[in-house]
Amino acid sequence: MAHQLATPTAPPILRNSDLDAAAVQQARIDLAACFRMAAKLGLHEGICNHLSFVVPGRDDLFLVNPYGWAFSEITASRLLICDFHGNVVAGEGVPEATAFYIHARVHKKVPRAKAAFHTHMPNATALAMLEGPPLVWAGQSALKFYGRTLVDEEYNGLALDEQEGDRIAASIGDADIVFMKNHGVMVVGPSIAEAWDDLYYLERACEAQRLAMATGRKLKPVPPEMAAKTYAQMRVGDRESARLHLESIKRILGQEAPEFAQ
């Protein structure tokens, strides 16, 4: 299902010393931690799916996983830095083709999307396969996303060109969470920590809903006014909570798989 990106005909831009800055190295470590924990929690799918982040200080470059490596194999140094033309500026290998055409266009067309996490994680993807709204505001975890989601109804097969990448980018609008019907989900955010936190809790919310639906009993949604109130409560301190969540997974990985940071 994964496709290797063809080598661009244009020469790659020269490596710049700012790619070795401390902020870039920290971004590598943080993003690698997300790959490893996503694998540990079963949010990955073979060598498919992609997490990316705009390189700190370089809005024309982004970090992304290389083609052919599972999430559980990703390390900080294994991540690629690519430009929006498909040139690999740093790292060995190339991105998976759909990773490039989706993430390059999202980062270029949606500047607020510093982090873009695209997965086929099972529970969220299962809900994206159903007719109607995927997420019902019936569980507390779901309310974290109240008013922040969008449904992309237009499934167009694999994203193997800029046109489909641009369509996906345009579909995001003002949302942070996009349920891509018949496909998976896209989570965008201003930081790696916030994208990770949303990805994690989105899957947990979808899992709880799927389990509730499996009983065959009718779901009991939270009234809109209470859903909005709870969402506002959750958003207070959400950025700091996300930061601490990411720090916690780095501590866990530091004990179980310290090579992720290499």
Side-chain angles (χ1 to χ4, degrees):
M1 285 172 38
H3 291 65
Q4 182 171 330
L5 181 69
T7 304
T9 55
I13 63 177
L14 295 177
R15 182 179 176 84
N16 196 309
S17 61
D18 59 4
L19 300 186
D20 297 317
V24 178
Q25 182 57 27
Q26 188 60 59
R28 284 182 172 276
I29 292 170
D30 290 350
L31 192 57
C34 295
F35 279 105
R36 289 299 186 98
M37 188 54 71
K40 183 179 176 66
L41 297 176
L43 310 185
H44 62 310
E45 187 173 67
I47 59 170
C48 301
N49 299 180
H50 347 101
L51 314 181
S52 64
F53 184 64
V54 173
V55 173
R58 292 292 301 265
D59 288 342
D60 57 333
L61 303 174
F62 64 101
L63 285 158
V64 70
N65 43 315
Y67 173 69
W69 297 87
F71 277 24
S72 60
E73 298 179 291
I74 296 299
T75 63
S77 61
R78 187 161 284 153
L79 292 168
L80 306 177
I81 293 180
C82 300
D83 68 11
F84 295 152
H85 305 289
N87 297 304
V88 175
V89 180
E92 296 184 6
V94 295
E96 195 269 333
T98 62
F100 171 72
Y101 286 114
I102 292 175
H103 292 254
R105 306 313 289 176
V106 167
H107 290 310
K108 183 177 177 65
K109 298 288 187 175
V110 189
R112 67 182 178 85
K114 298 299 184 185
F117 289 10
H118 170 58
T119 74
H120 302 167
M121 53 191 189
N123 293 288
T125 300
L127 296 186
M129 294 165 60
L130 303 176
E131 292 187 358
L135 197 58
V136 178
W137 312 115
Q140 180 168 290
S141 294
L143 300 183
K144 174 178 171 67
F145 308 105
Y146 188 76
R148 300 174 61 207
T149 66
L150 179 146
V151 179
D152 176 11
E153 297 279 0
E154 189 178 345
Y155 178 67
N156 279 335
L158 299 184
L160 294 175
D161 54 44
E162 288 187 353
Q163 182 178 359
E164 178 60 9
D166 284 344
R167 190 200 65 78
I168 290 171
S171 77
I172 294 172
D174 296 327
D176 298 325
I177 312 295
V178 179
F179 283 92
M180 306 166 77
K181 280 296 182 85
N182 311 110
H183 187 174
V185 294
M186 173 72 77
V187 174
V188 300
S191 70
I192 292 171
E194 290 169 89
W196 166 256
D197 199 58
D198 279 348
L199 189 79
Y200 172 84
Y201 282 107
L202 179 65
E203 180 66 356
R204 295 292 287 175
C206 291
E207 180 181 23
Q209 180 176 314
R210 182 183 60 80
L211 290 171
M213 292 169 64
T215 68
R217 298 172 61 183
K218 187 176 180 179
L219 295 176
K220 180 184 179 181
V222 175
E225 63 275 10
M226 183 54 64
K229 177 182 177 180
T230 306
Y231 162 76
Q233 291 174 326
M234 288 182 168
R235 293 300 275 176
V236 175
D238 203 30
R239 178 170 296 179
E240 176 64 4
S241 178
R243 185 188 70 81
L244 293 173
H245 187 185
L246 180 58
E247 291 301 314
S248 76
I249 72 169
K250 288 189 289 185
R251 288 194 299 272
I252 293 169
L253 292 169
Q255 293 292 323
E256 299 180 357
E259 73 280 359
F260 87 93
Q262 298 174 358

